Amino acid sequence: MTALRPSPMRRRVRGRVLLMLCVMYAIAYIDRTNISTALPYIKDDLGLTDTMAGYVVAAFALPYAFLQIFGGAIGGRIGPRKMLAIVAVLWGVATLLTGFSVGLMSLIGARLLLGLTEAAAFPTATQAMSKWIPIDRNGFAQGITHSAARLGNALAPLIVAGLIIVAGWRSSFLVVAALSVIWAGLWWVVFRDRPADHPKMTSQELSELGELHTPAGVGDRVKTPWKQLVPQILPVTFVDFGYGWTLWVFLTWLPTFLSDTYGLGIGGFALYTSIILLAGVVGDTVGGMLSDRIVARGGDVRHARRVILVIGLGGALLCLTPLLFAQSLLVATVALTLSFFFLELCNANLWAIPMDVAPQWSGAASGLMNTGFGIAGVVSPIAFGVLIDASGWVAPFGLSIGLLAAAIVVAWFMHPKRVRMVDGTVVVGGAAAATTETVSR
């Protein structure tokens, strides 16, 4: 079977749009994870226990979890250009306030604001990608943007550690806050909600984007068909919960684990954390490209996403298992690095599924999907903090392994169907076995 040539990204306006989104994803993750590197110093300075620190981290995830759907739907309504510019400025303000925190409650308040503003970011960015990225590059687009997010993860410990050494933990939040505001201004200048409105758009590139990306085919004001959308996305939401639970372990507790278990100082645990998280940069891109390659060779889209999800979740589970036993720093580092690589094979595919299933409502669909990650972010840091205080690190790692196993089962059996608009009617699945319902405009 001859492989289809994927749609080009170089020398296209969409390539610049994707680059801007990569920068945003990196900044967003630096803003949300810089606290993990600073946490040991924040705890000492403000007198926090591990349980209190868990509440601080979970404060971000609370609004992030429950406003994903709302944020994605609003972003689809008012457009990614305006929505992303606004929320980037606001999460920069939230990061700034984190640096000015004086106690537990002010820290929680700043993190709540950060979660509130970032809740709309990735679903709205997914809506932008649905309009700007050819369908055959959905996995690649989600993979490369989330690779940028993981690069932000990997750089954050080194950047934050350097700033802490030079000027204290508060300075790290003040510096990265400025990056968000600068990006917002550039985004407003570069991006347009409809590709056809961009001054540098060509007729050739517009034709490459397909019918959903043209002014006549966008249908921005069509009401979101929740009745049809929820049954297709809900199983993906559960898989995203299992994935997200373990991801939050890496993003939140990795520096503390390395510091507590192996007695590493800030330079040591920052370096090891960065090495481990760099594996996610590779994993995200590889996961998206592999599933796109299966599709390009004539494979079924749903099967392609599902296979990579099962491989990723299964590999992460196996590689976490050595941490249930006493291990040297070298063994633990290798196990964590491989586990994070496999885990991040899943990320692009989880985000590509809403684009595959409901490209017209991908903001709302991806918000529903990523609610699983958000809920995991509420529960995981608190549960980890409590379990660490009570019994050490074995129990929380064991719980993560169990949730990964449950996610593997659901991922293998889920079959999300396409949701699309045909002649003013929402159609679910193929033409022969579709369910329909008219949606008001």
Side-chain angles (χ1 to χ4, degrees), residues 1-12 14 134-137 204 208 292-293 295-298:
M1 184 179 295
T2 302
L4 299 176
R5 184 178 180 180
S7 301
M9 300 297 291
R10 294 181 62 188
R11 298 186 179 90
R12 298 294 192 274
R14 60 177 174 264
I135 292 174
D136 66 326
R137 302 303 294 269
Q204 178 184 350
E208 292 169 352
D292 276 358
R293 181 63 61 88
V295 174
R297 291 181 176 274

Side-chain angles (χ1 to χ4, degrees), residues 62-404:
L62 188 63
Y64 186 81
F66 298 108
L67 294 176
Q68 286 278 317
I69 300 172
F70 178 77
I74 293 297
R77 288 275 178 171
I78 72 172
R81 186 186 187 213
K82 182 184 295 183
M83 189 69 168
L84 289 179
I86 291 171
V87 297
V89 170
L90 290 178
W91 86 56
V93 172
T95 303
L96 186 70
L97 292 176
T98 304
F100 287 120
S101 296
V102 294
L104 178 62
M105 297 311 297
S106 57
L107 265 176
I108 288 177
R111 298 295 291 180
L112 283 170
L113 178 60
L114 185 65
L116 174 68
T117 53
E118 286 206 10
F122 289 3
T124 304
T126 298
Q127 183 72 43
M129 285 185 236
S130 290
K131 296 179 182 180
W132 275 91
I133 304 300
I135 292 174
D136 66 326
R137 302 303 294 269
N138 282 352
F140 169 77
Q142 290 290 357
I144 199 71
T145 50
H146 283 91
S147 288
R150 296 302 167 257
L151 183 60
N153 292 154
L155 293 177
L158 297 177
I159 294 170
V160 174
L163 290 170
I164 289 174
I165 292 171
V166 171
W169 68 266
R170 297 181 188 276
S171 67
S172 63
F173 295 95
L174 308 185
V175 171
V176 297
L179 298 177
S180 301
V181 178
I182 294 170
W183 181 89
L186 293 174
W187 175 254
W188 184 261
V189 172
V190 170
F191 186 75
R192 297 294 183 272
D193 286 329
R194 298 192 307 182
D197 294 337
H198 198 283
K200 295 187 178 181
M201 177 57 62
T202 65
S203 58
Q204 178 184 350
E205 180 171 1
L206 198 60
S207 67
E208 292 169 352
L209 293 176
E211 63 177 7
L212 278 175
H213 308 80
T214 64
V218 174
D220 292 321
R221 297 298 177 259
V222 177
K223 182 180 177 182
T224 303
W226 293 111
K227 182 178 178 180
Q228 294 88 348
L229 212 54
V230 170
Q232 310 310 320
I233 300 297
L234 205 55
V236 192
T237 303
F238 179 83
V239 176
D240 191 50
F241 175 85
Y243 156 83
W245 179 284
T246 306
L247 178 63
W248 279 107
V249 174
F250 280 94
L251 301 185
T252 304
W253 291 107
L254 192 53
T256 304
F257 169 72
L258 294 170
S259 176
D260 290 353
T261 306
Y262 300 103
L264 299 178
I266 183 170
F269 72 67
L271 178 60
Y272 276 97
T273 298
S274 293
I275 291 171
I276 292 167
L277 295 183
L278 277 172
V281 178
V282 181
D284 269 294
T285 301
V286 170
M289 292 180 69
L290 281 177
S291 62
D292 276 358
R293 181 63 61 88
I294 294 172
V295 174
R297 291 181 176 274
D300 177 75
V301 173
R302 289 176 295 181
H303 178 71
R305 309 297 187 211
R306 184 177 60 191
V307 165
I308 302 303
L309 284 174
V310 170
I311 291 173
L313 294 168
L317 183 157
L318 291 175
C319 293
L320 274 184
T321 303
L323 297 177
L324 298 179
F325 312 96
Q327 298 292 346
S328 68
L329 176 59
L330 177 60
V331 172
T333 301
V334 172
L336 288 166
T337 302
L338 290 174
S339 180
F340 196 58
F341 167 79
F342 279 108
L343 188 69
E344 286 306 286
L345 291 178
C346 303
N347 200 16
N349 291 279
L350 286 167
W351 281 94
I353 289 173
M355 297 173 71
D356 299 332
V357 170
Q360 194 164 356
W361 304 282
S362 57
S366 60
L368 177 60
M369 180 277 298
N370 205 40
T371 298
F373 174 79
I375 293 173
V378 175
V379 182
S380 177
I382 295 175
F384 251 71
V386 171
L387 289 172
I388 292 168
D389 280 342
S391 59
W393 292 92
V394 173
F397 278 127
L399 182 57
S400 297
I401 289 172
L403 287 170
L404 286 172

